[in-house]
Amino acid sequence: MENFQFYSPTEFVFGRDTEDKAGELVKKHGGSKVLIHYGGGSAERSGLLGRVRASLDKAGISYTELGGVKPNPRDTLVYEGIELCRKEGIDFILSVGGGSTIDSSKAIALGVPYDGDFWDFYCGRAVAKAALPVGTVLTIAAAGSEGSGDSVITKEDGGLKRGTGTDLIRPRFSILDPQLTCTLPAYQTACGATDIMAHVFERYFTNTTEVEVTDRLCEAVLLTMIKETPRVIADPNNYDARANIMWAGTVAHTNIVGVGREQDWNSHGIEHELSALYDCAHGAGLAVIMPAWMEFVYKHNALRFAQAATRIWGCQMDFEHPEVTALEGIKRFRSFLHSIGMPINFAELGAREKDIPALVEKFGIGGGRTGGFVHLSAEDIAEIYRIAAKAEL
Ligand code: NZQ
Ligand code: ZN
């Protein structure tokens, strides 16, 4: 195991009706003038925003609102949010929604105290020194942004999707009420489940040895997702299954399952080019990319992939040919994704094979990020897109 520091200062408030505590939590964490930031309307329609406003009113906290965050959140709304916060003297951002809304909130939080362009933090031109505090009321179990120090934003001009990471934007508190996720369409539920599993796999495939505790934590989250996802697809109102998935999504991405080990993250980088170009859901893009990445890299450590196959997917170990077991595990992963309604190739995602050179080129802009498990060249990345394009069950 490698040395590590683990900092996860977020106060998680979990369970039924916990959104009614939004006002008291903002107050506890020092907010007095709040920006409520939200998405395209689901939080208004479900009545959640009304309850959050009532909670702030009860706590005597004034607020301004900015809605309209789109999935794959854009820089344009971030600029608007920064201006609004400065004009209104906002000292706390309350994010009501999913990963996109939370990431947009975090970007605004970084931009308000910064003299330059907030995009500097996303293209590696500057390192953040300050941010407004952010709290969240989560409505979809997926990105894990409610507990992470990351934010991913798409620049409209040029369609670049890029992330930044700093502990400054880890939420001060996150309210997790599983009931709020019951209104999710099955497709969004499945996209979220795929993203949660991908966050674990990005950490599971590592070159670091002797990481038993984090291996086992990763496996626990993955086994939970395999059990609970079909239950919520079949019965969207199953509170207990929703609750397990919601906590799994947070645990998967605070990094508690990934400390002390080298991590990969190439699949995320490769996927982000798909959601930037086609505006598809991040989880759907991962369903197409991650098994393809696995098929491309498994020989790097077939035994680790065989371990995943036996412990997570229940495959029989072929001791003479561990690569056969490894491939069986990858196959079962893809079949599982298909069974919950995810696309498994370019055609099902709405992507085009002819765009592969452009996808690879954009991946390279900004330094050509490469993974920790296997370092990939531009040609390797093109091959992964080609495998993903043609994948079948
Ligand atoms: O905008 P509204 O109307 O709220 O609709 C949303 C949106 O259309 C809808 N939705 C959310 N909660 C709902 C609901 N519909 C009905 N009932 C509810 N309770 O779901 C759609 C997707 O929402 P979005 O916030 O985009 O989903 P998600 O949480 O998957 O976030 C995806 C974004 O997070 C980034 C992704 O790249 C993507 O841009 N990521 C952020 C990470 C981070 N900050 O740590 C890590 C991830 O790897 C990921 O990259
Ligand atoms: Zn993700």
Side-chain angles (χ1 to χ4, degrees):
M1 199 194 295
E2 295 174 356
N3 291 358
F4 67 86
Q5 280 179 252
F6 178 59
Y7 178 69
S8 178
T10 309
E11 179 175 5
F12 294 105
V13 182
F14 192 99
R16 295 179 197 273
D17 304 328
T18 41
E19 59 274 21
D20 295 339
K21 295 181 192 285
E24 81 186 59
L25 283 163
V26 169
K27 200 181 240 177
K28 178 175 169 184
H29 289 275
S32 59
K33 187 98 199 276
V34 169
L35 175 74
I36 304 179
H37 198 33
Y38 59 94
S42 75
E44 191 76 89
R45 283 194 300 278
S46 67
L48 171 61
L49 273 173
R51 293 200 294 285
V52 168
R53 290 183 193 113
S55 175
L56 292 174
D57 287 338
K58 196 169 157 206
I61 290 170
S62 63
Y63 50 86
T64 302
E65 300 187 15
L66 179 63
V69 180
K70 292 182 183 155
N72 303 314
R74 315 303 150 95
D75 62 334
T76 38
L77 193 67
V78 172
Y79 291 116
E80 209 180 302
I82 293 169
E83 282 313 304
L84 184 62
C85 285
R86 287 180 181 154
K87 189 170 126 244
E88 299 287 333
I90 298 294
D91 61 13
F92 197 99
I93 303 179
L94 182 59
S95 188
V96 182
S100 295
T101 297
I102 300 173
D103 284 4
S104 182
S105 302
K106 289 173 170 178
I108 295 169
L110 286 169
V112 172
Y114 182 58
D115 281 341
D117 181 348
F118 91 93
W119 187 253
D120 291 350
F121 305 125
Y122 290 74
C123 66
R125 259 200 305 263
V127 175
K129 300 221 165 40
L132 285 186
V134 174
T136 86
V137 181
L138 185 66
T139 62
I140 171 172
S145 189
E146 70 279 7
S148 81
D150 302 323
S151 160
V152 186
I153 299 292
T154 299
K155 194 172 182 51
E156 294 254 18
D157 185 11
L160 275 189
K161 185 173 183 179
R162 293 292 180 264
T164 191
T166 159
D167 285 335
L168 292 167
I169 51 173
R170 284 188 183 260
R172 301 296 169 95
F173 68 81
S174 280
I175 292 174
L176 311 178
D177 177 355
Q179 296 175 123
L180 300 177
T181 64
C182 292
T183 51
L184 279 166
Y187 184 77
Q188 287 299 340
T189 297
C191 287
T194 306
D195 195 17
I196 292 167
M197 295 177 80
H199 292 164
V200 178
F201 279 131
E202 295 279 18
R203 294 168 164 103
Y204 194 80
F205 295 107
T206 181
N207 295 311
T208 313
T209 56
E210 303 288 348
V211 282
E212 187 67 7
V213 66
T214 41
D215 269 4
R216 294 296 186 179
L217 287 170
C218 286
E219 289 157 12
V221 175
L222 290 164
L223 289 166
T224 300
M225 295 308 298
I226 293 164
K227 175 175 178 240
E228 302 291 28
T229 308
R231 287 177 83 200
V232 293
I233 303 272
D235 175 11
N237 292 316
N238 184 326
Y239 177 85
D240 293 311
R242 289 278 186 197
N244 278 302
I245 289 176
M246 197 164 210
W247 190 234
T250 303
V251 170
H253 205 42
T254 59
N255 205 30
I256 198 162
V257 305
V259 293
R261 55 202 284 153
E262 190 178 31
Q263 305 179 6
D264 191 71
W265 295 99
N266 253 327
S267 297
H268 265 68
I270 295 170
E271 188 296 309
H272 281 165
E273 301 311 336
L274 293 178
S275 43
L277 186 62
Y278 305 113
D279 206 11
C280 59
H282 170 60
L286 285 168
V288 173
I289 292 300
M290 193 147 229
W293 171 84
M294 290 178 174
E295 281 167 350
F296 187 77
V297 303
Y298 77 96
K299 286 187 184 145
H300 176 69
N301 188 346
L303 275 177
R304 179 149 276 275
F305 275 90
Q307 173 181 302
T310 55
R311 292 186 185 178
I312 299 160
W313 299 108
C315 301
Q316 281 291 323
M317 181 69 185
D318 182 337
F319 288 97
E320 279 185 24
H321 307 102
E323 61 287 352
V324 172
T325 313
L327 279 174
E328 178 60 24
I330 299 166
K331 195 173 159 203
R332 290 197 195 180
F333 178 36
R334 189 179 274 127
S335 299
F336 174 80
L337 295 170
H338 179 73
S339 75
I340 61 170
M342 285 290 90
I344 56 157
N345 54 37
F346 267 30
E348 289 181 15
L349 184 70
R352 294 174 299 257
E353 215 172 331
K354 71 177 176 54
D355 292 334
I356 289 176
L359 291 163
V360 175
E361 196 190 329
K362 267 175 97 193
F363 184 95
I365 297 173
R369 300 147 294 153
T370 56
F373 182 59
V374 177
H375 181 92
L376 299 177
S377 67
E379 181 44 39
D380 294 339
I381 290 158
E383 183 56 21
I384 290 169
Y385 280 126
R386 284 194 286 269
I387 295 170
K390 296 191 170 72
E392 286 177 2
L393 286 181

